[in-house]
């Protein structure tokens, strides 16, 4: 595991974007696993800048996002499809037909999850998976539980996650209670993993993830067992290491 500590959010974003840029340069047809949330906004902006400058291209790449709220269509301004279009896809040369986000509008949860898992397999698996980290150690929407979920599945969100995400909605009551998410097993199949975390509020969970025991109650702790993980932190997130 390679842990990189940067001075601030801006440096963290550039360092993480460089990891993705190098992946695209080495393999232009990479399958990228992407994440949403406030943490990757800066690195997506840096990737847009690099693409505009002709330093990288997404033209031959494809992507699979970690998760999506169940019940939100891709046109909803709080859906993760909307987020990705707004922060990355609409501003780079990627073929939108090669960008994949779980279909939150599908009512049949099992069918939605099975279809997504199959699509990842048919694409040859993920070359580089980008991850953020929840305050409770979740990656994707894999919440603390008694076992590590293997494949893409429907999950009931914890109250802490609902409250954390409520800042993006008019109220907590509007936050969906379920989501479709890649499983821990799906994430761990990625050839490379990039974990990006910022802020003092996540310092303790970063310590638990990187230095604590590997337990499903801290879902991201399983990353300790992956052979190729890069962790990029700002110094506040690294404070408890």
């Amino acid at each position: 595991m390679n842990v990189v500590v940067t001075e601030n959010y801006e440096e963290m974003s550039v360092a993480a974007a460089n990891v993705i840029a190098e992946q695209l340069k080495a393999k232009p047809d990479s399958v990228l696993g992407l994440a949403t949330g406030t943490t990757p906004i800066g690195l997506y902006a840096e990737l847009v800048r690099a693409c505009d400058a002709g330093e990288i291209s997404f033209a031959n790449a494809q992507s699979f996002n970690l998760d999506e709220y169940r019940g939100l269509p891709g046109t909803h301004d709080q859906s993760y499809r909307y987020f990705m279009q707004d922060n990355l896809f609409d501003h780079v040369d990627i073929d939108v037909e090669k960008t994949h986000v779980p279909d939150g509008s599908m009512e049949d949860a099992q069918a939605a999850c099975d279809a997504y898992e199959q699509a990842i397999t048919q694409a040859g698996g993920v070359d580089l998976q980008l991850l953020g980290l929840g305050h409770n150690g979740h990656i994707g929407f894999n919440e603390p539980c008694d076992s590590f979920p293997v494949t893409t599945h429907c999950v009931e969100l914890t109250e802490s996650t609902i409250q954390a995400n409520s800042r993006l909605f008019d109220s907590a009551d509007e936050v969906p209670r379920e989501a479709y998410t890649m499983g821990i097993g799906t994430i761990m199949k990625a050839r490379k993993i990039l974990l990006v975390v910022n802020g003092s509020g996540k310092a303790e969970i970063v310590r638990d993830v990187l230095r604590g025991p590997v337990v499903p109650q801290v879902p991201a702790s399983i990353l300790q067992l992956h052979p190729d993980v890069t962790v990029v932190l700002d110094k506040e997130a690294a404070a408890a290491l």
Side-chain angles (χ1 to χ4, degrees), residues 89-153:
F89 298 155
D90 286 346
H91 310 290
V92 296
D93 58 347
I94 198 166
D95 180 355
V96 70
E97 296 298 321
K98 293 182 179 179
T99 65
H100 308 276
V101 181
D103 187 352
S105 64
M106 281 187 69
E107 293 186 6
D108 187 331
Q110 192 62 52
C113 296
D114 289 349
Y116 203 66
E117 191 75 21
Q118 184 177 9
I120 295 170
T121 299
Q122 289 177 341
V126 173
D127 290 305
L128 173 63
Q129 178 66 59
L130 172 65
L131 299 173
L133 181 67
H135 286 89
N136 61 4
H138 74 243
I139 45 177
F141 271 128
N142 293 286
E143 302 282 9
C145 60
D146 294 329
S147 62
F148 291 110
V150 178
T151 59
T152 302
H153 60 290

Side-chain angles (χ1 to χ4, degrees), residues 135 197-206 234-240:
H135 286 89
V197 194
N198 72 288
S200 58
K202 293 185 178 177
E204 290 188 8
I205 194 64
V206 165
D234 70 359
K235 64 181 181 181
E236 290 185 347

Side-chain angles (χ1 to χ4, degrees), residues 45 56 68 83 87 92 116 144 155 162 169 184 190 196 205 207 231:
I56 58 171
E68 179 62 282
F83 175 99
N87 286 282
V92 296
Y116 203 66
V155 62
I162 290 169
F169 291 80
I184 294 293
V196 183
I205 194 64
R207 178 198 61 209
V231 183

